[in-house]
Amino acid sequence: MPPEAPQTGHAARVGATPPAAFLRLETLTKRADFQRASRAAHVATPGFVLQVRKHGADETATADIRVGFTCSKKVGNAVARNRAKRRLREIARLALPALGKPGHDYVLIGRKGATASLPFAQLQADFARALAKLHART
């Protein structure tokens, strides 16, 4: 059972971030979803590439925000790829509930030598900028 949101105190103020259990995003798992996203709009940043695709009317997908993560072997060995994907998952978890649009798929692609080594604050700022740029296009 997920933790309840606090009713009093500084964490209960309006606009406070809900418990982590409520911030879970639907994850893309099917190859076809990743391929459709690869043909959609994208923005490259120093730390990652962000692809955004609006769900089609013919899709049976829900109106939720869906997100996928990928890192090729160019990023490094399994340890490096997993570290890069953990960082990408965290920036998506923090930003997409507030900045993402329902009915969209987001795919974050890790970049060699940058995703795992750039400062986390820079990755977050790049992600917010990339989202704003892509949402302005669509």
Side-chain angles (χ1 to χ4, degrees):
M1 178 163 219
E4 293 296 322
Q7 300 299 318
T8 60
H10 73 281
R13 68 181 182 270
V14 176
T17 306
F22 296 110
L23 298 179
R24 188 166 176 100
L25 302 166
E26 187 177 341
T27 305
L28 295 176
T29 55
K30 299 196 182 307
R31 177 174 162 79
D33 291 332
F34 282 92
Q35 288 178 325
R36 281 193 291 266
S38 72
R39 293 186 294 270
H42 69 279
V43 170
T45 67
F48 57 88
V49 176
L50 176 63
Q51 300 170 338
V52 176
R53 182 181 89 72
K54 185 168 175 44
H55 297 168
D58 59 336
E59 290 185 62
T60 59
T62 63
D64 292 338
I65 297 172
R66 300 189 311 169
V67 63
F69 308 95
T70 184
C71 289
S72 70
K73 287 191 176 182
K74 290 180 185 178
V75 173
N77 62 8
V79 174
R81 290 193 307 271
N82 287 338
R83 180 165 193 254
K85 283 192 279 189
R86 278 196 309 271
R87 297 184 93 203
L88 292 175
R89 275 194 295 271
E90 186 62 13
I91 62 170
R93 186 190 69 83
L94 293 173
L96 279 179
L99 302 175
K101 289 185 177 179
H104 285 72
D105 290 344
Y106 298 90
V107 176
L108 287 96
I109 303 169
R111 295 187 106 173
K112 179 181 180 178
T115 305
S117 62
L118 284 175
F120 191 73
Q122 181 182 347
L123 288 176
Q124 286 181 298
D126 287 346
F127 186 66
R129 241 185 334 274
L131 277 176
K133 192 173 187 179
L134 285 169
H135 285 163
R137 287 186 202 170
T138 57

